[in-house]
């Protein structure tokens, strides 16, 4: 459930009509619902309360999904941790008040500077993804005179649906090490004065709507923990990543956090580990929309009807990059039969097409439309391509709204680029 519903005949976010946001901030603009973010976080954490044998897991929200500091603070204030993949994301999480002990640092290629930053800012665990990276972490820790708390990320070699560009769990993908390699690295780490291995981690992909691959991967992870323990190694933590999908369009029976927790209980129950999860999309996707305005309708009588928007692929890249489907809803419904539209942005490439021949209620120039389920991997993947100002973000809470990332001015954008001396 989300809080984007009709209010007096037009789409609103909680108590704020989207037309009011468009009037105040302009379009395109991302709009996030506090109540939905909170609800999704609570649904996820409550799912595990039903399985007390699992203990209370760390829910380390995947910052990459939506890294706005106010979004992070909304979740952090509820107790969420943060799964981060860069120094920038660690800094955002800390700026949002999420304490280091709830921050995990993942990613296949961390620089020495980033590792040093993580080690000095109290991040609870670095998930290392390869032997060279583990040796780099040990070297940086030695230089700082500390012992780095690490987990080894395993690639369980389980295919988990989703688009090929976001699947991570197959042996040919760049993430993590094999089970055998993980056991070898773990025991090496345990014998290294600068490393403190505390657990193992996996993340098999994103937008997963079939729990079977998860069941398979988690069972294998359990086997690894048992194997390590049989070698007298201490394994206290198990990070099972994120990846739970959301229904971008109608799905009869999408797996819920309750279903997910049941699979975790079945596979991990009784193992006696501190569990961690890294959900991103399932928390943020349906908590946000991208609001855009129709610039004009371009009818090409022989074959096509284009709705040209003021939002483009630089604002929401998912359709161009992953052929992703986003529901598109007019903010005010016009009466009349559905018509086929190609909904496109103004950027000069055909990839700047959000959808082709989508049946939508009639649209006219000036109408507002909302791209639903855009709260995850929307603004966080936006760019200034075509020198379009970075799309602003608004957070709604009941009938309050705050601009949590303003639209930059053209002056600000151009001022960031000093002209080379020899050209002045
Ligand atoms: N943990 C790790 C190590 C990850 O790589 C990811 C996502 C997550 C957690 C969070 O996954 P989630 O729960 O959100 O599925 N840009 C793509 C999605 C890329 C996901 C990358 N990794 C998209 O727009 O669909």
């Amino acid at each position: 459930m989300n809080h984007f519903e009709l209010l007096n005949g037009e789409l609103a976010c909680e108590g704020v009509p989207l037309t009011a946001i468009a009037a105040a901030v302009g379009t395109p603009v991302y709009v996030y619902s506090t109540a939905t973010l909170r609800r999704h976080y609570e649904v996820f954490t409550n799912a595990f309360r039903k399985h007390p044998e699992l203990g209370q897991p760390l829910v380390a929200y995947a910052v990459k999904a939506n890294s706005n500091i106010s979004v992070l603070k909304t979740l952090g204030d509820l107790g969420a941790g943060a799964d981060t993949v860069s120094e920038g994301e660690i800094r955002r999480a800390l700026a949002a008040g999420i304490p280091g002990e709830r921050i995990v640092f993942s990613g296949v290629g961390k620089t020495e500077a980033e590792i040093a930053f993580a080690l000095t800012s109290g991040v609870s665990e670095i998930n290392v993804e390869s032997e060279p990276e583990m040796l780099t972490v040990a070297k940086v820790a030695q230089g700082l005179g500390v012992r780095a708390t690490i987990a080894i990320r395993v690639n369980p070699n389980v295919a988990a649906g989703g688009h090929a560009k976001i699947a991570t769990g197959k042996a040919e993908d760049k993430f993590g090490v094999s089970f055998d390699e993980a056991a070898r690295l773990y025991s090496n780490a345990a014998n290294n004065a600068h490393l403190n291995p505390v657990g193992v981690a996996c993340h098999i992909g994103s937008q997963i709507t079939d729990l079977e691959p998860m069941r398979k991967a988690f069972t294998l992870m359990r086997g690894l923990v048992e194997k390590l323990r049989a070698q007298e190694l201490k394994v206290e933590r198990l990070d099972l990543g994120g990846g739970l999908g959301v229904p971008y369009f109608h799905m009869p029976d999408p797996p819920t956090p309750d279903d997910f927790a049941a699979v975790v209980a079945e596979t991990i129950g009784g193992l006696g580990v501190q569990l961690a999860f890294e959900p991103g999309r399932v928390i943020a996707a349906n908590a946000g929309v991208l609001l855009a305005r129709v610039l004009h309708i371009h009818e090409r009588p022989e074959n096509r009807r284009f709705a040209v928007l003021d939002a483009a692929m630089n604002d929401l890249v998912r359709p161009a990059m992953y052929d992703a489907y986003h529901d598109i809803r007019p903010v005010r419904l016009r009466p009349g039969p559905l018509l086929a539209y190609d909904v496109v942005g103004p950027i000069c490439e055909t990839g700047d097409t959000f959808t082709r021949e989508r049946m939508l209620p009639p649209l006219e120039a000036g109408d507002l439309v909302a791209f639903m389920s855009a709260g995850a991997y929307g603004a966080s993947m936006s760019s200034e391509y075509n020198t379009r100002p970075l799309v602003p973000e608004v957070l709604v809470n009941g009938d309050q709204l705050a601009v949590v990332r303003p639209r930059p001015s053209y002056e600000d954008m151009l001022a960031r680029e000093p002209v080379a001396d020899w050209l002045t």
Side-chain angles (χ1 to χ4, degrees):
M1 191 208 140
N2 60 60
H3 290 77
F4 293 91
E5 309 275 351
L6 292 180
L7 183 70
N8 305 323
E10 61 176 83
L11 204 56
C13 175
E14 303 189 23
V16 183
L18 294 182
T19 45
I21 295 175
V25 188
T27 51
V29 58
Y30 277 95
V31 181
Y32 308 134
S33 154
T34 298
T36 312
L37 287 167
R38 288 191 178 139
R39 185 186 135 76
H40 290 172
Y41 177 78
E42 297 296 354
V43 167
F44 196 90
T45 47
N46 285 341
F48 289 93
R49 296 215 170 88
K50 295 167 191 156
H51 304 277
E53 74 280 13
L54 293 175
Q56 193 53 41
L58 170 69
V59 178
Y61 164 71
V63 171
K64 63 169 79 74
N66 185 323
S67 49
N68 187 281
I69 293 172
S70 295
V71 168
L72 298 181
K73 186 150 174 47
T74 300
L75 297 169
D77 287 354
L78 297 175
D83 166 50
T84 61
V85 290
S86 66
E87 177 171 339
E89 286 193 352
I90 299 172
R91 286 180 182 269
R92 280 180 180 274
L94 292 170
I98 298 178
E101 69 255 26
R102 300 208 304 256
I103 301 178
V104 173
F105 185 25
S106 315
V108 285
K110 308 171 187 79
T111 67
E112 290 190 17
E114 287 181 308
I115 292 166
F117 182 79
L119 291 176
T120 50
S121 55
V123 161
S124 77
E125 165 185 313
I126 299 181
N127 287 352
V128 304
E129 303 224 8
S130 62
E131 183 164 34
E133 184 179 68
M134 189 172 98
L135 297 176
T136 306
V137 172
K139 187 178 95 182
V140 175
Q142 179 170 21
L144 292 169
V146 297
R147 201 154 172 228
T149 301
I150 62 163
I152 308 286
R153 175 157 174 192
V154 182
N155 183 329
N157 193 17
V158 170
H163 191 280
K165 285 187 188 158
I166 55 175
T168 49
K170 290 286 290 163
E172 63 266 29
D173 297 328
K174 66 181 174 180
F175 304 92
V177 296
S178 69
F179 284 102
D180 287 347
E181 179 78 343
R184 186 176 72 81
L185 294 187
Y186 205 96
S187 106
N188 288 353
N191 292 317
N192 186 313
H194 305 288
L195 297 175
N196 173 29
V198 293
V200 287
C202 73
H203 167 80
I204 60 171
S206 197
Q207 185 51 19
I208 299 172
T209 50
D210 171 8
L211 292 177
E212 283 319 302
M214 300 253 199
R215 190 192 307 276
K216 207 166 151 193
F218 298 169
T219 305
L220 292 167
M221 292 302 286
R222 180 190 187 107
L224 174 64
V225 171
E226 286 167 342
K227 175 174 163 185
L228 294 172
R229 285 179 173 167
Q231 296 168 21
E232 310 283 299
L233 293 162
K234 219 155 113 184
V235 187
E236 293 159 355
R237 302 188 199 169
L238 176 59
D239 179 344
L240 295 176
L244 193 57
V246 299
Y248 282 103
F249 48 88
H250 180 72
M251 270 185 197
D253 215 2
T256 62
D258 273 354
D259 302 331
F260 175 73
V263 168
V264 175
E266 236 176 79
T267 51
I268 304 298
L271 193 58
V273 281
Q274 168 64 50
L275 279 174
F277 298 100
E278 304 169 352
R281 192 187 314 264
V282 75
I283 306 283
N286 285 320
V289 302
L290 171 64
L291 183 62
R293 200 176 283 283
V294 177
L295 296 177
H296 50 256
I297 305 294
H298 169 191
E299 302 228 19
R300 196 183 286 146
E302 64 281 16
N303 60 1
R304 276 314 210 244
R305 184 183 294 106
F306 297 98
V308 183
L309 305 185
D310 62 0
M313 63 191 286
N314 69 300
D315 305 308
L316 175 65
V317 77
R318 302 194 66 259
M321 196 151 173
Y322 316 112
D323 300 314
Y325 181 102
H326 285 266
D327 201 9
I328 300 172
R329 293 177 61 184
V331 170
R332 274 190 195 137
L333 212 54
R334 289 183 184 279
L338 300 185
L339 298 169
Y341 288 96
D342 283 17
V343 180
V344 303
I347 287 181
C348 312
E349 51 185 286
T350 307
D352 187 25
T353 297
F354 293 112
T355 187
R356 285 187 183 275
E357 302 197 296
R358 175 88 57 94
M359 298 306 289
L360 294 172
L363 295 172
E364 288 184 17
D367 286 359
L368 290 169
V369 294
F371 287 86
M372 309 306 290
S373 313
Y377 305 110
S380 63
M381 294 183 79
S382 61
S383 75
E384 289 181 346
Y385 184 41
N386 276 27
T387 309
R388 294 168 47 84
L390 201 58
V391 59
E393 298 171 271
V394 163
L395 182 64
V396 169
N397 181 30
D399 54 11
Q400 299 172 282
L401 75 90
V403 178
V404 293
R405 180 170 84 183
R407 193 187 311 278
S409 69
Y410 289 109
E411 289 73 21
D412 290 344
M413 289 168 70
L414 299 190
R416 292 200 312 248
E417 293 175 27
V419 173
D421 295 348
W422 63 88
L423 295 172
T424 56

